């Protein structure tokens, strides 16, 4: 049995070779200054740029390091989850590997983790990302907050500290939406907020383009609400009412004013509208059916190739 550890630092790594040396050096320095027993859990999310080899090199003379290697790229959320499950510390810290979350702030997160607090989330003093990215994330935040309602205080930052009890709660959620930050916000466990520095990504580039953000948003919408299904009902009502009004209008023209509107024009308009509504409805239904399908298959969110202790 391994010795008990006070703090586990979980870091997902996907093709981050250029920053790893600096990250590791700064982490070690921070950990030494803390005077607490720490383990660092690197989760290599199927990197193909030599990141894994660099991590193994660190491991050669560092027994506080653990490396989890995925069989392929399963995504940041899966990597973070795997890291949480592998941690043994009384407090678990999550941070990005690209140094946008400065490791030097870790002690402040731990300080905020007083007895009775289960989750410490961070708010960047000023977020250093491209304006388009900040806008995209803002939109995602707004949408998610709408879905979750005002009783959930949403925090989407990837820099946080939590207790193992929170990991247990995550494990209880047999949930297909693996957006960790949303899941943890949704739980409503006792939380404090800390302001931290945020840095520009100096090397490598972001793994989140617009497509990934839209995917994430859709995952949240269908994962946390049935609003799109209700939208189908609304559209159905709207379609039916419109059709009814048009028929009434046509009848009126024909019977009272004796005008015959060209049938084809009217028909194509109505048809296009109703066909659109129907296709959209099928689409929404399909999305939810897809979720059920995945849930029934119950495949694990990631596969581990190797854990280096
Ligand atoms: N990441 C990962 N798997 C992925 C994508 C990203 O493990 O499929 C990691 C990445 O190495 C980084 C963190 O998740 O440590 C955040 O990624 P990134 O910096 O690209 O996101 P951004 O800061 O732009 O939100
Ligand atoms: Mg980043």
């Amino acid at each position: 049995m391994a010795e008990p550890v006070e703090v586990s630092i979980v870091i997902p790594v996907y093709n981050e070779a250029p920053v790893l040396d600096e990250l590791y050096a700064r982490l070690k320095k921070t950990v030494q200054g803390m005077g607490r027993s720490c383990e660092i859990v690197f989760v290599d999310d199927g990197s193909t740029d030599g990141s894994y080899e660099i991590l193994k090199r660190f491991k050669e003379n560092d027994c506080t390091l653990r490396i989890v290697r995925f069989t392929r790229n399963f995504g940041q959320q899966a990597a973070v989850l795997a890291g949480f499950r592998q941690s043994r510390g009384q407090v678990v810290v999550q941070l990005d590997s690209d140094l946008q979350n400065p490791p030097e702030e870790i002690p402040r997160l731990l300080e905020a983790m007083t007895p009775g607090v289960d989750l410490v989330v961070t708010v960047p003093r000023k977020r250093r990302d491209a304006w388009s990215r900040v806008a995209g994330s803002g939109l995602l935040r707004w949408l998610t907050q709408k879905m979750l309602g005002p009783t959930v205080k949403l925090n989407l930052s990837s820099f946080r500290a939590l207790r193992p009890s929170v990991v247990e709660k995550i494990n209880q959620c047999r949930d297909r939406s693996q957006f960790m930050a949303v899941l943890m916000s949704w739980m409503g466990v006792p939380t404090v907020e800390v302001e931290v520095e945020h840095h520009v990504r100096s090397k490598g580039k972001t793994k989140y383009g617009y497509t990934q953000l839209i995917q994430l948003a859709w995952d949240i919408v269908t994962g946390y609400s049935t609003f799109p299904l209700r939208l189908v009902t609304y559209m159905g009502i709207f379609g039916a009412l419109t059709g009814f009004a048009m028929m009434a209008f046509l009848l009126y023209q024909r019977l009272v004013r004796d005008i015959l509107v060209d049938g084809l024009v009217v028909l194509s308009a109505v048809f296009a509208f109703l066909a659109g509504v129907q296709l959209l409805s099928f689409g929404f239904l399909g999305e939810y059916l897809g979720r059920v399908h995945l849930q029934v298959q119950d495949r694990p969110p990631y596969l581990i190739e190797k854990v280096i202790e």
Side-chain angles (χ1 to χ4, degrees):
M1 199 58 211
E3 287 171 42
V5 201
E6 282 174 88
V7 182
S8 300
I9 303 173
V10 170
I11 307 175
V13 177
Y14 179 48
N15 291 346
E16 305 281 7
V19 291
L20 286 180
D21 277 306
E22 188 187 340
L23 170 72
Y24 182 62
R26 283 169 59 181
L27 263 176
K28 282 314 260 189
K29 201 158 164 246
T30 307
V31 165
Q32 272 152 19
M34 285 189 324
R36 294 211 207 180
S37 60
C38 285
E39 63 171 0
I40 304 173
V41 183
F42 280 113
V43 184
D44 178 82
D45 187 10
S47 298
T48 51
D49 70 338
S51 293
Y52 180 51
E53 286 65 32
I54 298 177
L55 294 177
K56 280 201 291 194
R57 198 188 71 217
F58 295 157
K59 170 76 201 162
E60 273 162 23
N61 26 32
D62 187 346
C63 60
T64 66
L65 217 71
R66 303 170 75 201
I67 306 171
V68 181
R69 161 85 166 167
F70 282 179
T71 53
R72 62 163 172 87
N73 179 246
F74 280 96
Q76 180 187 0
Q77 303 304 318
V80 169
L81 179 62
F84 284 173
R85 287 177 174 164
Q86 291 282 334
S87 324
R88 301 202 188 109
Q90 290 147 18
V91 178
V92 182
V93 176
Q94 170 200 349
L95 89 161
D96 284 352
S97 48
D98 59 357
L99 291 170
Q100 288 196 276
N101 313 134
E104 292 74 22
E105 299 272 25
I106 293 177
R108 295 194 40 233
L109 265 69
L110 296 176
E111 241 168 67
M113 186 66 99
T114 47
V117 173
D118 284 343
L119 184 64
V120 177
V121 295
T122 62
V123 187
R125 253 177 226 118
K126 180 158 181 10
R127 190 167 161 181
R128 316 266 176 196
D129 277 314
W131 71 267
S132 54
R133 176 60 204 278
V134 176
S137 299
L139 201 64
L140 183 72
R141 242 198 77 82
W142 176 83
L143 183 82
T144 313
Q145 186 72 67
K146 270 259 167 306
M147 291 291 149
L148 294 170
T151 54
V152 173
K153 189 154 189 332
L154 188 66
N155 178 294
L156 294 180
S157 161
S158 53
F159 192 18
R160 59 182 67 230
L162 46 132
R163 296 209 185 267
S165 63
V166 175
V167 179
E168 265 163 46
K169 290 188 178 77
I170 295 175
N171 287 335
Q172 278 169 27
C173 296
R174 300 180 49 76
D175 197 314
R176 268 294 143 186
S177 165
Q178 281 132 13
F179 201 155
M180 290 298 133
V182 180
L183 206 57
M184 285 186 263
S185 305
W186 171 87
M187 286 176 186
V189 296
T191 304
V192 288
E193 224 175 66
V194 177
E195 266 201 355
V196 292
E197 290 300 328
H198 190 252
H199 294 177
V200 275
R201 198 186 230 284
S202 55
K203 295 175 192 133
K205 58 181 209 223
T206 175
K207 272 91 199 168
Y208 291 92
Y210 281 114
T211 343
Q212 281 82 5
L213 283 185
I214 291 171
Q215 262 172 16
L216 226 49
W218 190 236
D219 183 53
I220 293 168
V221 171
T222 53
Y224 288 86
S225 91
T226 49
F227 175 72
L229 290 177
R230 194 170 319 141
L231 196 63
V232 170
T233 317
Y234 292 155
M235 284 188 307
I237 294 173
F238 181 67
L241 285 181
T242 314
F244 181 77
M246 289 181 91
M247 279 193 309
F249 175 71
L250 290 183
L251 265 174
Y252 169 78
Q253 296 286 65
R254 182 81 183 86
L255 297 179
V256 180
R257 303 183 57 195
D258 205 22
I259 304 173
L260 197 59
V261 182
D262 185 0
L264 196 64
V265 177
V266 182
L267 210 64
S268 3
V270 177
F271 179 77
F273 176 69
L274 287 181
V277 168
Q278 284 199 12
L279 277 182
L280 206 62
S281 314
F282 277 132
F284 283 155
L285 286 174
E287 290 288 340
Y288 284 92
L289 197 64
R291 287 193 82 89
V292 174
H293 175 67
L294 289 176
Q295 190 88 47
V296 167
Q297 284 181 323
D298 204 20
R299 292 209 186 118
Y302 54 82
L303 289 174
I304 293 175
E305 182 184 295
K306 203 170 180 184
V307 179
I308 309 179
E309 301 274 349

